[in-house]
Structures are given as C-alpha cells and as structure tokens.
C-alpha cells in the first residue's frame, strides 16, 4: 500500500532533508520513525525533492510503501508522537501504486524572507537579516524578468552538471509585511528548480536592490549561462519550501 | 556615568532573565559582556524586571554604571559583537544618575500568542500551540473584566508572598492574525504585574474560551483572592515582554 504525506519542518537544526552518513537529516528522522512503526522492517521515503541545510518547509510532500494497511490518521498520530517536535506530519492519505512524490510534481512554491529592519533575535534562524535599505520597487521589476521559461544555468550551483538547465517560473511575487514594512517576502512558483536556484536568484535580487545592477540586467545574466555573472547565494535561513503541487 | 539600554531576546534557550548560580541566563550573558568591555571590572545590570525561563522580550530595558565614558553607539556595537546571537542590544543612551530602570517603570506591555491551527514546527518555541477551537469572542469579553485596578492575588504564583497584590491593567486587546485566523495575540498594558500574572490570566482566558467558565466569572475569581479558583498557568513560550515605559 502506498502512503502519501505532507509535512513541515524547522530546518535550522538539520543538515538538510536528504539522508547522509552520520548527519542529522529530516529523511533520516522520518525513515527511522516509519521503520519503527513498520515492525522494524526498513522503509524508504521518496520526497518531492531535497531541501538544503537550514532551509525550512511548510508543506513538503513524500510517499512511502508499507506491506500492512494502517489507518492514515492513526499513522499520522503515531509518527508525530515519535519524531522530534521540529518536524510535523500534517496529513497522510493513500494513493495509487504508480503515484510518485518526485516524478509526479507539477509545480513547487518557495518563499524567501528578508528583514531590513532591526535585528530580531527571535527570528534569527527564520529570516535573512539584511542591514541595508533595499530598493524594493526595483527588485519587484527584476523579479518579473525571471518569470517564464529560461535557461537558469547562471542561477544554479556552480559545479552542478545537468543535461538541461531550462525551467519555467510561472509566477513571482514580492510582498511587504503590512505590520512591519521592513520585512519582505519573495515568492517563486515554478514547474521545477535547480539546486540553489532560489537562493541564487534572491542573491541577485538583493544586489539589484542595493543598486549594484539594474533590474533589466537579469536578461543578460540569464543569457550568459554563467554562474559568475550572477550575484551571491542568499543564506538558507530565509528560504521555505511552501508547497508542492501534483 | 549611567547607561540605559533596550534589548530583545529569544528566551527559549535561557533559564530566564535573572542571574542564578550555574544557569544560562540573559543577565549573566550581558553582565559578562559588559564586564569584559569594562576592562574586566565587574558591572551589575538593573533590568525593568525579570522574565521567566522560556519567555521572550522585544524591548526589555536596563541600566548599568561605568566609570569610563564610552560612546553609546560604539558600546552597542561592541556588546552585540560579544553576546550570543539570540540576544540583541537595540540601543543605548546616557541617563541621569538617579534614573532607575526598575523603580522608574510607569507601565509594561506583555503579549501572549496562541495558535489554534495546524502545529507549525518553526514556531514551536514562540507560540502556544492549542489544539482545540476557542470561543474568541467570549475571551475578548473576559479580557475586559481584567482591565482596571484589582487585587490580582488569584492570578499570581501560588506561593508568592507580597504586601500588596493590587495592580492596574490599563488596556487589553485580542487580535486575530489577518493572514492566519487561527492565531490570536492577547496584549496587556499595565502599571505593574505580579509573578506569573500574565500567564495565569491567559490560562484562565483559555478555560473561558473552552467554555469551562463564563467571561463574567472573572469578577468572582478576582474577588476570591484565591489562586486555586483561577485556571492553569499558560506555558512560557507564548509570552513576550513587548515594551517598558518610563
């Protein structure tokens, strides 16, 4: 029987989603818990994709198979009682055996939070603290140049070897927090993302907000297919996998 | 020379504000840092009051004395570079020698955050997760009975011996988060608060929201001067010292 779950996590105390030897990862915690419930018969989890160390998720999705039929609500409660309290299973449903949490992804939404105001120690692992004013209107214009289907090689991990760097960003948004105008949230809805792509795009947008580049420079940088032409990689703490769509 | 500072902290990894032997506290971290800057001559900090273990502060205030005259902005930057990143000095100014950060307090504002929606692991140390629906309108009515000058003995720490339990709550408020209607923030502006008073009032308000008591029962409970008549003590993680007024 195939089970499909959605879950959220605070990534700040993990070395990312994906299992690695001798490291605390989200996948490791979840697989150990499900294996325990499955009478210690090993279970593998297939997520929609990995998130890097320090990146958070509101609504990550994954599937796994169990030989036994377990009530989904009971399974959810059992799992939540075993896993650490910085991971939370939001829901579990049964799906067809040919449904795959990674291969069937239609779109993903990421958000990135920036604080230009006074540093707030309560949010240190949950927002990127940026101690200069940014030209938010210019960043918003730049964001629009990223929408559409482009080769995003300039915005991926520099040593990432891929057959295909073309991805489609369906929608972007920049929102100011209405209670704290110094906080902005960038959002990116896309059919797929390369490694570090969101953080590299945000790094570029920040340099545009600082006045180091103009918004329309994005066009040339996309066309260059050259990682060194784009900006810095923004830190992980501001990034959230908001949702995965099928 | 007397220095007056405002500072914020994430209380989740501290045993409260006040210094205690062999415990990690906010006061200890700050005094060690200021002492270091003061050529290792011991400095005592006098805060507006303590906060308990796990309680946060947006704008706590304190004063301390140094023999040397140090530029306030430089002092702020030096301190922020030494203290842990879950404490932040927002500002330092010089004040008259007879100004006292505790004795001169005119009012304090506390807020308390409750989440009735899906558990969010990212906020586990920063909001009280309450897994039932609360009657928010009834809680709002109850809140208004707490306003004014009352004997708050029913709402203090049960073994707290005081000469005077009379305090004045100037204003209360209940606000729903407009983006997430399942989150509410209670606020209390008062001229003074007894130990555990906010958390005990919130515990009572939650029991009223659950339907265990009516809003007007607050009147009898206040008049009883009996801690056992009021509700539970709400957990520390939802509580923030928002500001101190002089």
């Amino acid at each position: 029987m195939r089970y499909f779950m959605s879950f959220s996590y605070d990534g700040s105390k993990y070395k990312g989603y994906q299992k690695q030897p001798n490291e605390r990862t989200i996948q490791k915690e979840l697989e150990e818990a499900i294996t325990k419930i499955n009478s210690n018969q090993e279970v593998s989890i297939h997520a929609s994709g990995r998130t890097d160390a320090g990146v958070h998720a509101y609504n990550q999705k994954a599937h796994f198979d169990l030989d036994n039929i377990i009530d989904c609500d009971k399974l959810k409660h059992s799992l939540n009682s075993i896993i650490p309290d910085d991971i939370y299973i939001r829901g579990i449903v049964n799906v067809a055996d040919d449904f795959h949490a990674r291969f069937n992804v239609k779109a993903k939404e990421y958000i990135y939070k920036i604080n230009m105001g006074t540093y707030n120690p309560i949010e240190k692992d949950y927002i990127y603290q940026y101690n200069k004013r940014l030209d938010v209107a210019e960043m918003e214009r730049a964001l629009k140049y990223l929408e559409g289907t482009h080769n995003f090689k300039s915005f991926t991990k520099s040593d990432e070897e891929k057959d295909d760097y073309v991805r489609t960003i369906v929608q972007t948004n920049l929102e100011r927090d209405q209670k704290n105008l110094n906080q902005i949230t960038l959002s990116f809805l896309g059919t797929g993302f390369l490694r570090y792509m969101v953080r590299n795009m945000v790094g570029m947008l920040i340099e545009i907000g600082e006045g180091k580049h103009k918004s329309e420079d994005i066009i040339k940088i996309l066309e260059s297919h050259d990682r060194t032409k784009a900006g810095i990689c923004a830190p992980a703490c501001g990034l959230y996998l908001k949702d995965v769509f099928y």
Side-chain angles (χ1 to χ4, degrees), chain A residues 72-83:
Chain A
C72 287
D73 262 358
K74 277 191 192 155
L75 183 55
K76 172 188 155 174
H77 290 296
S78 310
L79 274 175
N80 277 328
S81 69
I82 299 177
I83 57 177

Side-chain angles (χ1 to χ4, degrees), chain A residues 12-229:
Chain A
S12 58
K13 303 201 177 57
Y14 292 91
K15 288 279 178 193
Y17 173 79
Q18 190 171 268
K19 218 161 44 171
Q20 301 165 57
N22 307 318
E23 295 286 8
R24 188 165 185 253
T25 69
I26 309 288
Q27 186 181 8
K28 179 171 174 280
E29 295 292 338
L30 289 173
E31 286 188 351
E32 282 178 4
I34 297 176
T35 297
K36 202 175 284 176
I37 288 169
N38 196 40
S39 314
N40 291 317
Q41 294 211 321
E42 223 170 282
V43 179
S44 294
I45 298 178
H46 305 271
S48 74
R50 55 184 152 185
T51 55
D52 292 309
V55 175
H56 315 292
Y58 285 130
N59 228 343
Q60 168 69 290
K61 313 245 168 122
H63 82 258
F64 57 89
D65 294 323
L66 298 178
D67 290 335
N68 304 323
I69 298 172
I70 305 181
D71 175 77
C72 287
D73 262 358
K74 277 191 192 155
L75 183 55
K76 172 188 155 174
H77 290 296
S78 310
L79 274 175
N80 277 328
S81 69
I82 299 177
I83 57 177
D85 60 2
D86 49 9
I87 311 176
Y88 179 70
I89 312 295
R90 296 170 63 97
I92 302 179
V93 292
N94 286 118
V95 286
D97 282 352
D98 61 352
F99 176 90
H100 195 288
R102 182 150 69 94
F103 303 142
N104 292 20
V105 170
K106 288 233 167 57
K108 282 186 181 180
E109 186 177 7
Y110 283 95
I111 64 168
Y112 195 94
K113 297 188 187 182
I114 301 171
N115 180 34
M116 301 177 287
T118 306
Y119 172 72
N120 179 355
I122 290 158
E123 297 190 305
K124 80 180 164 59
D125 295 324
Y126 309 108
I127 195 163
Y128 176 33
Q129 177 64 29
Y130 194 78
N131 290 322
K132 283 180 238 166
R133 283 304 118 143
L134 293 166
D135 180 343
V136 173
E138 188 69 7
M139 290 170 75
E140 211 166 351
R141 278 188 289 274
L143 207 47
K144 294 305 158 190
Y145 289 110
L146 292 165
E147 289 186 3
T149 302
H150 306 287
N151 180 315
F152 283 96
K153 192 168 185 211
S154 310
F155 293 101
T156 189
K157 200 162 171 281
S158 50
D159 58 353
E160 188 83 342
E161 290 296 332
K162 281 269 184 192
D163 291 334
D164 181 15
Y165 298 94
V166 175
R167 296 289 184 276
T168 300
I169 296 185
V170 178
Q171 199 172 19
T172 64
N173 193 37
L174 187 155
E175 194 177 51
R176 265 184 196 253
D177 187 310
Q178 283 313 305
K179 285 208 167 175
N180 181 349
L181 294 175
N182 288 315
Q183 289 196 2
I184 56 173
T185 300
L186 301 161
S187 66
F188 302 86
L189 176 68
T191 56
F193 292 88
L194 299 162
R195 271 205 93 182
Y196 291 2
M197 182 169 143
V198 179
R199 289 163 60 190
N200 287 341
M201 290 190 296
V202 171
M204 187 67 215
L205 291 166
I206 286 171
E207 295 195 356
I208 288 167
E210 278 182 323
K212 287 188 188 165
H213 308 272
K214 295 254 171 239
S215 54
E216 59 268 27
D217 292 346
I218 292 269
I219 305 169
K220 278 187 214 152
I221 293 163
L222 280 168
E223 284 170 357
S224 75
H225 304 175
D226 180 356
R227 174 72 199 113
T228 65
K229 293 282 188 291

